[in-house]
Amino acid sequence: MKNNESWDWEINAGTKWFDWHLREIISYKDLLFRFVRRNLIASYQQTILGPFWVFIQPALTTLVYYLIFGKVVKISTGGIPPVLFYLSGILFWSFFSDCLNGTMYTFLQNVNIFSKVYFPRLVVPVSNVISHSIRISIQLLLFILIYLYNWVTMGLYCNYYLLLTPLLLLLTAGFGLGAGLIISVFTAKYRDLDYALQFILRLFMFATPVVYPASIVPARYQLLFWLNPLTVVTETFRAGYFSQEPVHYLRLAFCVIEVLFLLVVGITLFKKKELKIMDVV
């Protein structure tokens, strides 16, 4: 007698390298949105100012950078108003850092949930990136308001390259997600990596033009400097809002390839190890 029963899903001992099952995320979209809502609420729960911290955090950081790097160290901003220069770098760096930190601890912070119920583990890091994407979208309003004020009072130059902003946000999110998925597999097994990674992350910020323009980087370091996807993202964003010079599309194309490669490697490694990693967490 033939068994005509059909199975909705099946758990095997082994997982193929490129067996991603990304359609499962769509099937669990309600859970995905619940995680996004949880992340947004938990960020400012039991705080006096609540969601106003979305604007206060980048504003205070910009003020500190302006006083230290603009007034004390006196680093050139390449003719860009200092407040807008630092704010643009801070927004993209913070977005990347938040996506990376939220993703790299996926297994460690959700071990209790993962060990009790089945759902696509990729839902958690994706929800983290979506919640931070909502946050930076709101923070960009602060940037636009300050930009419009300076545009009226100082006559800033802008061009149609500013339409690349959604692409730049996607590249930053993809960079943080891809790198975070790779790191999450190793931090779950080797806990001491956390200390080294936080130190490396701080150094990486100074390898990104957050507080200085790309023009002051010596020529012998230019190739290595532009290999950083965040360099391309930050400088392209500033070129769209503050410059009439054309965007270097070759660098932007290579940045897209880098981010896609990281995403493919990150998702593949994450899906390959997600079941076995729970035995060592």
Side-chain angles (χ1 to χ4, degrees), residues 11-86:
I11 298 177
N12 296 318
T15 305
K16 296 180 181 179
W17 277 104
F18 294 98
D19 198 6
W20 292 356
H21 295 294
L22 295 181
R23 290 184 179 179
E24 284 189 332
I25 298 179
I26 300 177
S27 301
Y28 285 82
K29 60 180 180 299
D30 292 334
L31 180 63
L32 175 65
F33 293 140
R34 285 182 179 272
F35 275 124
V36 172
R37 183 175 179 273
R38 180 200 66 175
N39 294 338
L40 292 173
I41 294 176
S43 299
Y44 305 105
Q45 198 171 23
Q46 294 182 331
T47 59
I48 297 175
L49 299 178
F52 288 104
W53 281 109
V54 173
F55 298 106
I56 295 174
Q57 284 177 317
L60 289 178
T61 307
T62 300
L63 177 61
V64 172
Y65 283 12
Y66 172 71
L67 293 175
I68 295 176
F69 298 104
K71 293 298 184 180
V72 178
V73 184
K74 295 183 179 180
I75 297 178
S76 171
T77 59
I80 300 173
V83 172
L84 288 172
F85 179 87
Y86 296 125

Side-chain angles (χ1 to χ4, degrees), residues 207 209 213-215 217-219 221-236 248 250-252 254-255 258:
S215 58
V217 178
Y221 299 124
Q222 284 286 333
L223 178 61
L224 185 62
F225 178 72
W226 285 102
L227 286 177
N228 177 5
L230 286 182
T231 296
V232 179
V233 167
T234 306
E235 288 299 305
T236 302
H248 202 301
L250 184 61
R251 290 171 179 166
L252 187 59
F254 189 76
C255 174
E258 283 184 297

